[in-house]
Amino acid sequence: MLYVSLIVAFVVAILITPLVKRFAFRIGAVDAPNYRKVHSRIMPRLGGLAIFISFLVGLVLLRPVPTEPLVQAGENPFIIPLAMVLAATIIVITGVLDDMYELSAKTKMLGQLVAACIIVFFGGIQIEFINLPFGGELEFGFLSIPFTILWIVGITNAINLIDGLDGLAAGVSTIALITLACMALIMGNMFVVATAAILAFSTIGFLFYNFHPAKIFMGDTGALFLGFMIAVLSLLGFKGVTIFSFIIPVIMLGVPISDTFFAIVRRIRNGQKWSDPDKSHLHHRLIDVGFSHRQAVLIIYGIAAMFGLAAIIFSMAKLWGAILLITVILVAIELFVEVIGLAGKNYRPLINLAKIFNK
């Protein structure tokens, strides 16, 4: 039945996206070019609505139900999927309104916080503790709720920040969802496997119209929805595991998380507010150093896939192997960032250190 749901979600996305495109023009949900944009003509956004609708169709058709340890004996197994759909609907409504009227950052944040609170308080999903690698547990206590909300809101916006080239956010999200499904399969969490796979196939169907040259953008509707779902599914897939296993979703989402982190570093170094927009994100820098639009997207796809593979390898590694892998990943990210100037053109601590040792 899962295969049928995947095919249906994929086909519905292909069929409904042109309708959403016409609807976007009709209600004025369009993206005009400016100095920060790489497109040169007015483009319809709201494409995330097609992803959301096709995802709902696939989800309703399959009706996956979470089992233990997500749901304890006697609990209603439909609470989690109901909370997830309700919260995702809030996110999509927020995204649609932003694609139409360009909401303020505070208003968008309010919508994200409401959705996150639905997940935490109605769905009962929160990070309560982490098992430490050398024994014992790290209890979050009263910090459990704010930590969970911070995770959801942070990942939601991380996906939104990389939505700057045709097919970029959709492709990176698809790779993250496939990785998430693989990890959940290893852990035997079939609810996360089914939900992540349906969402991935819905996004792939949309990519037929979103890859360069794009006919429609996903807009904040899609970027916020995908980021939110990845954040929630990560919580469901890695709830109550070891501190090193908890790093898995961080590695899996390495592209948007590292891009967001170094954007903040870059802005602070330049004397800007951390939330100020600029044109120096990963995709901008790749184009600036000479890659074409399509090449930049494919390079980031490759980086995202390597992060996904690293997350899977990390999950099967022993303690010291995991530490070594993290070290290699961090050094590789730092070198890559310095070479392309992601944190600023004069930010080159490792390269400068290497030059000192070579003298």
Side-chain angles (χ1 to χ4, degrees):
M1 192 63 178
L2 175 59
Y3 300 112
V4 175
S5 299
L6 297 180
I7 294 171
V8 169
F10 174 74
V11 172
V12 169
I14 290 178
L15 295 178
I16 204 172
T17 300
L19 302 178
V20 171
K21 177 183 176 182
R22 289 199 289 269
F23 180 63
F25 276 121
R26 182 169 298 181
I27 65 174
V30 295
D31 195 0
N34 62 36
Y35 79 99
R36 291 185 58 244
K37 308 291 178 65
V38 296
H39 61 282
S40 57
R41 59 191 175 92
I42 294 178
M43 290 289 294
R45 40 193 182 186
L46 208 71
L49 187 60
I51 300 174
F52 178 61
I53 293 173
S54 55
F55 167 71
L56 284 183
V57 171
L59 198 66
V60 170
L61 185 63
L62 183 63
R63 293 191 295 276
V65 179
T67 57
E68 292 186 3
L70 295 180
V71 177
Q72 303 300 320
E75 292 182 350
N76 188 342
F78 293 102
I79 289 296
I80 288 179
L82 182 60
M84 189 173 63
V85 170
L86 179 59
T89 302
I90 298 293
I91 287 290
V92 168
I93 291 173
T94 302
V96 169
L97 292 175
D98 186 59
D99 286 338
M100 292 174 62
Y101 305 114
E102 295 190 2
L103 302 176
S104 67
K106 291 181 179 179
T107 304
K108 286 196 292 183
M109 180 62 69
L110 177 62
Q112 295 169 42
L113 289 173
V114 170
C117 286
I118 290 173
I119 292 295
V120 172
F121 295 108
F122 180 54
I125 303 169
Q126 55 184 280
I127 307 166
E128 298 174 350
F129 67 91
I130 293 178
N131 294 315
L132 299 175
F134 299 107
E137 293 179 352
L138 175 62
E139 296 278 355
F140 286 106
F142 69 93
L143 293 175
S144 174
I145 290 175
F147 185 74
T148 305
I149 291 175
L150 180 64
W151 168 266
I152 294 174
V153 172
I155 298 302
T156 299
N157 285 283
I159 297 296
N160 195 28
L161 282 175
I162 65 168
D163 186 25
L165 296 179
D166 297 353
L168 180 56
V172 170
S173 297
T174 299
I175 293 168
L177 287 165
I178 292 172
T179 304
L180 188 54
C182 291
M183 294 299 308
L185 184 62
I186 293 172
M187 296 179 179
N189 191 333
M190 297 311 297
F191 175 76
V192 174
V193 171
T195 307
I198 291 171
L199 184 53
F201 272 70
S202 301
T203 310
I204 292 170
F206 170 73
L207 264 172
F208 275 78
Y209 303 93
N210 185 236
F211 194 73
H212 187 71
K215 299 177 179 63
I216 183 173
F217 293 160
M218 67 162 58
D220 270 21
T221 306
L224 293 177
F225 170 58
L226 287 174
F228 178 80
M229 289 300 299
I230 290 171
V232 173
L233 289 172
S234 296
L235 290 177
L236 291 173
F238 304 98
K239 186 179 179 182
V241 291
T242 68
I243 191 168
F244 283 102
S245 294
F246 187 69
I247 297 173
I248 291 172
V250 178
I251 297 175
M252 184 179 65
L253 298 168
V255 169
I257 289 177
S258 58
D259 193 26
T260 302
F261 173 77
F262 284 105
I264 294 173
V265 171
R266 179 177 63 249
R267 290 162 187 171
I268 291 175
R269 292 183 72 249
N270 292 335
Q272 300 172 291
K273 293 181 180 178
W274 69 269
S275 57
D276 286 347
D278 61 21
K279 200 173 181 180
S280 297
H281 285 286
L282 175 59
H283 50 279
H284 294 129
R285 294 303 306 148
L286 288 174
I287 290 178
D288 288 345
V289 298
F291 292 104
S292 68
H293 190 128
R294 188 183 293 258
Q295 287 172 335
V297 171
L298 292 176
I299 287 171
I300 298 175
Y301 281 3
I303 296 171
M306 285 190 289
F307 272 120
L309 180 61
I312 294 173
I313 295 172
F314 184 89
S315 69
M316 296 181 287
K318 300 296 183 181
L319 176 60
W320 293 110
I323 294 174
L324 177 61
L325 181 59
I326 291 175
T327 303
V328 171
I329 290 173
L330 291 176
V331 172
I333 291 174
E334 178 64 26
L335 285 173
F336 182 72
V337 165
E338 293 180 21
V339 168
I340 67 170
L342 188 60
K345 294 181 179 179
N346 297 321
Y347 177 82
R348 299 163 69 92
L350 274 187
I351 293 177
N352 290 336
L353 183 63
K355 288 180 179 178
I356 293 174
F357 281 109
N358 285 333
K359 288 183 179 180

